[in-house]
């Protein structure tokens, strides 16, 4: 006990804690959030101090006398050098902005939504939540970055986290964030460097992230004489459970959801968000299960006085109220109706939220709405492409996307993009789509068809002349519609001057019995929201953006009866089933969230404490996304440079990159059989980036296709179609 007390007083003295924190106080109540953060800092300090490269032995020879003052001085020098070495820089976001700084940051004048977001932040001197609801393509990203910069400057914060639904959207946001930081660094001229991290399982394959990591100097062993401001990605932060610790982080929303989950090292995740502004995009995309984690995370962020910016195309009133109350407390008064578009704010301690309506008449867009029979899809897409229209086709399942591609590929220029391509092939396709159809596309094609799944639905800043989409819940249909005529000043083909959306994947809509819903769509979204979406769109010939968005979303997610009387029996059954499922999902998620910050002590906060070796474990992903466990595999195509993967020798850097480039996720139906039949090669098991990967070896069949049998199914891979999964033929 004496040694512990001496050590405590030593730390207290070095840190100056007695004078700063508890002088003349018998007891100090930090609050649960600060206690959790303090625990995280202890873990972090232990990790850094345990690194023998950063902290070599200090005793000069065996016979020298150990002197406390000398040890302390040298330790402080080493600690400072170590923090610099791992990239632990905390940039300043500068003083209050003046002049047309928004134009300097983004290259254009702020619109009404961006002005409103900036003005809302300027009014508050404390941590707050800002909810920006605006139509697709309205510049919510720039509004969030500008608001975050102002928040950081006003509150003395020095970091940023941006969370998005998918890896594809994270990659694009990473690119846009780097552009913003480049301008900020140049114009602010404070001499600060920006250390950034891309936080998801395929980050290693993103080209800009690779380039930043390959910069010299990097991480441990940094050149002490190099003080030039720069933007870099330091290797230390790419390690397991360290990604959130980087000053500026862009990644999947899982990173912040796990801050409210019962997992090991949750305290370290809390530390990762301290001192940052947290931005969460596409809030409407998070279902009932994920929302439990999101709301609990908001409670802890508020307890830690961390400001939050939420972005959404539009939200059901109940969801909006739930998010605001999670941050500010259940006592918060939230209006049942909010104008649209709008910026809603609530500062910690406020008793009611403030919502500011934004005028958006100048960008009103009317979209022509049509219903398209599934059997006519191929013919209509080909006809529109022949007339020069660029057509985006979004199907709800990978199988349907692949089948549509096969039928259309002989009709002209067609590309396919979904989640079952290898990491390298998918990134190449994503880059091609954004290059051809992005805001700054220099060589926009004519008459091209891009077929995909939900990976094309969110946050991708791309523009097409017409959209063909499977029926989906109303908010997702509207979100997909944001890919049509998104950018101004594009010359449209004749007949496509008005944006069009064609909805397919549903039977004939009559006033008799309820329509037949595509089985794949039902498997993904369930029949309840699909039928209600069909009901609100049934008799419409046009959609007006943004005017119609809140009305349609509120109607579908309300309790009012929708659709013809002939649909009522089926609708009632679907609603009862959906309500029971929502209750179950909410209950399932509630078992895995940590307690609220004002309940109990830290002891037992993580009752289960799920153990994983890395952030990208399928167990963690399944935990916060209510998804069945899946398996990632490295696809070996039989090439000479992949034959060594199954050997026992360690892989060099080039081979490791080749493995990571080949990774694809198997569908959930193959998880158990993959665990039994596919092995983790010894060389994979010894590498921190590869240790969860199993090897899927494909061989060329008599037709030249790369294939194999697994669990009664035939797996085939090609760079054109991705991974195909079909029921294996019976051998008689």
């Amino acid at each position: 006990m004496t040694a512990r007390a001496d050590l405590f007083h030593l730390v207290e003295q070095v840190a100056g804690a007695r004078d700063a924190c508890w002088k003349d106080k018998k007891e100090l109540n930090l609050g649960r959030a600060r206690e959790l953060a303090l625990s995280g800092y202890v873990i972090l300090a232990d990790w850094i101090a345990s690194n023998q490269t950063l902290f070599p032995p200090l005793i000069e020879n065996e016979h020298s006398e150990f002197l406390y003052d000398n040890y302390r001085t040298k330790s402080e020098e080493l600690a400072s050098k170590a923090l610099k070495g791992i990239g632990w820089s905390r940039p300043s976001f500068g003083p209050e902005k003046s002049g047309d700084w928004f134009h300097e940051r983004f290259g254009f004048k702020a619109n009404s939504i961006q002005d409103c977001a900036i003005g809302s932040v300027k009014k508050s001197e404390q941590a707050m939540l800002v909810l920006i609801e605006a139509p697709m393509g309205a510049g919510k990203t720039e509004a969030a970055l500008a608001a975050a910069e102002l928040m950081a400057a006003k509150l003395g914060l020095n970091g940023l986290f941006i969370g998005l639904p998918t890896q594809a959207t994270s990659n694009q946001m990473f690119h846009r964030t780097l552009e913003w930081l480049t301008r900020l660094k140049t114009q602010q001229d404070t001499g600060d460097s920006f250390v950034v991290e891309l936080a998801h399982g395929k980050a290693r394959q993103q080209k800009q992230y690779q380039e930043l990591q390959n910069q010299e100097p990097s991480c441990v062993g940094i050149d002490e004489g190099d003080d030039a401001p720069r933007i870099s990605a330091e290797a230390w932060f790419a390690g397991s459970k360290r990604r959130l610790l980087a000053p500026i982080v862009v990644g999947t929303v899982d990173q912040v959801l796990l801050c409210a989950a019962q997992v090991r090292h949750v305290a370290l995740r809390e530390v990762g968000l301290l001192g940052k502004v947290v931005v969460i995009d596409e809030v409407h995309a998070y279902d009932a299960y994920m929302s439990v984690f999101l709301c609990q995370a908001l409670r802890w962020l508020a307890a830690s006085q961390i400001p939050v910016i939420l972005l959404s195309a539009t939200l059901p009133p109940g969801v909006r109220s739930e998010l605001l109350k999670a941050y500010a407390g259940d006592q918060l008064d939230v209006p049942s109706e909010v104008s649209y578009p709008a910026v809603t704010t609530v500062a910690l301690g406020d008793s009611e939220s403030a919502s500011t309506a934004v005028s958006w008449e100048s960008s009103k867009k009317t979209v022509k709405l049509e219903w398209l029979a599934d059997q006519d899809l191929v013919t209509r897409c080909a006809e529109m492409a022949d007339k020069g229209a660029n057509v985006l086709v979004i199907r709800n399942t990978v199988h349907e996307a692949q089948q549509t591609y096969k039928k259309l590929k002989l009709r002209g220029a067609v590309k396919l993009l979904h989640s079952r391509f290898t990491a390298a092939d998918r990134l190449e396709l994503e880059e091609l789509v954004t290059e051809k159809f992005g805001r700054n596309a220099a060589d926009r094609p004519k008459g091209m068809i891009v077929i995909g799944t939900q990976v094309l639905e969110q946050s991708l800043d791309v523009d097409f002349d017409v959209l063909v989409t499977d029926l989906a819940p109303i908010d997702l249909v509207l979100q997909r519609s944001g890919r049509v005529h998104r950018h101004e000043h594009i010359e449209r083909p004749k007949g496509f001057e008005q944006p069009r959306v064609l909805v397919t994947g549903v039977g004939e809509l009559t006033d008799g019995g309820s329509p037949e819903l595509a089985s794949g769509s039902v498997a993904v979204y369930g029949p309840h929201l699909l039928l209600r979406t069909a009901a609100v769109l049934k008799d419409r010939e046009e959609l007006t953006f943004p005017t119609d968005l809140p009305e349609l979303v509120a109607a579908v997610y309300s309790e009012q009866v929708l659709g013809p009387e002939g649909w009522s029996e089926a609708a009632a059954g679907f609603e009862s089933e959906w309500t029971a499922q929502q209750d179950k999902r909410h209950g399932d998620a509630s078992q895995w969230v940590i307690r609220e910050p004002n309940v109990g002590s830290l002891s037992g906060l993580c009752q289960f404490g799920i153990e994983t070796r890395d952030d990208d474990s399928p167990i963690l992903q399944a935990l916060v996304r209510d998804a069945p466990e899946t398996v990632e595999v490295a696809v070996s195509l039989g090439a000479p440079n992949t034959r060594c993967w199954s050997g026992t020798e360690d892989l060099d850097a080039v081979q490791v990159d080749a493995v990571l480039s080949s990774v694809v996720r198997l569908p959930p139906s193959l998880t158990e059989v993959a665990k039994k039949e596919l092995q983790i090669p010894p060389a994979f098991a010894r590498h921190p980036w590869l240790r969860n990967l199993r090897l899927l070896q494909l061989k060329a069949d008599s037709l030249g296709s790369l294939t194999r049998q697994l669990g009664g199914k035939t797996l085939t891979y090609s760079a054109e179609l991705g991974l195909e999964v079909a029921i294996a033929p019976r051998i008689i």
Side-chain angles (χ1 to χ4, degrees), residues 340-417:
Y340 186 85
V343 176
T344 302
T345 61
V346 58
L348 293 178
D350 284 355
S351 59
E352 59 181 351
S353 60
S355 182
T356 304
V358 181
S359 174
W360 197 245
E361 291 297 318
S362 60
S363 299
K364 183 180 289 187
K365 180 172 69 176
T366 300
V367 177
K368 185 178 179 182
L369 181 66
E370 304 176 36
W371 294 95
L372 177 64
D374 204 51
Q375 62 268 24
D376 298 331
L377 186 152
V378 171
T379 302
R380 286 292 303 279
C381 287
E383 289 175 350
M384 291 186 291
D386 288 343
K387 294 178 181 178
N390 291 315
V391 183
L392 174 62
V393 182
I394 298 183
R395 308 306 307 258
N396 288 337
T397 68
V398 172
H399 176 74
E400 282 297 326
Q402 290 171 329
Q403 296 307 306
T404 303
Y405 173 84
K406 289 178 180 180
K407 295 172 184 176
L408 275 167
K409 69 176 183 177
L410 300 178
R411 303 293 187 104
V414 185
K415 287 294 180 182
L416 176 66
L417 175 59

Side-chain angles (χ1 to χ4, degrees), residues 219-259:
C219 196
V220 178
I222 189 170
D223 182 357
E224 294 182 50
D226 180 19
D227 293 322
R230 62 194 180 103
I231 298 174
S232 64
E234 301 296 351
W236 190 84
F237 293 108
S240 177
K241 302 179 180 68
R242 301 176 189 169
R243 290 170 174 169
L244 276 183
L245 297 170
I248 298 172
V249 186
V250 179
T252 52
V253 72
D254 309 58
Q255 302 295 328
V256 73
L257 298 184
L258 286 169
C259 292

Side-chain angles (χ1 to χ4, degrees), residues 81 84-89 193-196 209-237:
K81 182 179 179 181
K84 180 181 179 181
I86 65 175
W88 191 269
S89 62
S193 294
F194 293 101
V195 176
V196 297
Y209 181 68
Q210 283 183 353
E211 292 170 357
L212 290 175
Q213 278 211 322
N214 292 335
Q215 284 184 154
E216 293 293 342
S218 64
C219 196
V220 178
I222 189 170
D223 182 357
E224 294 182 50
D226 180 19
D227 293 322
R230 62 194 180 103
I231 298 174
S232 64
E234 301 296 351
W236 190 84
F237 293 108

Side-chain angles (χ1 to χ4, degrees), residues 639-660:
N641 64 338
T642 64
R643 290 173 186 161
C644 63
W645 292 2
S646 58
T648 58
E649 295 184 5
D650 289 342
L651 305 179
D652 60 30
V654 174
Q655 292 167 334
V656 169
D657 280 342
V659 173
L660 292 171

Side-chain angles (χ1 to χ4, degrees), residues 509-576:
L509 301 176
T510 68
D511 290 342
S514 62
E516 181 180 358
L517 302 172
S519 59
S521 299
V522 170
V524 175
Y525 299 114
H528 173 64
L529 294 178
L530 294 179
L531 188 62
R532 291 182 67 83
T533 299
V536 299
L537 296 179
K538 176 178 176 292
D539 298 321
R540 284 182 173 264
E541 296 181 353
E542 292 182 337
L543 298 175
T544 301
F545 290 79
T547 311
D548 291 342
L549 269 67
E551 172 193 341
L552 293 172
V553 172
V556 169
Y557 286 91
S558 71
E559 297 180 358
Q560 70 183 91
V561 176
L562 298 176
E565 186 176 344
W567 298 16
S568 59
E569 182 177 351
F574 293 156
E575 181 178 13
S576 177

Side-chain angles (χ1 to χ4, degrees), residues 57-66 70 74:
L58 293 179
I59 299 177
E60 296 179 1
N61 58 68
E62 296 181 1
H63 305 290
S64 63
E65 183 178 356
F66 182 88
N70 185 47
K74 289 191 174 181

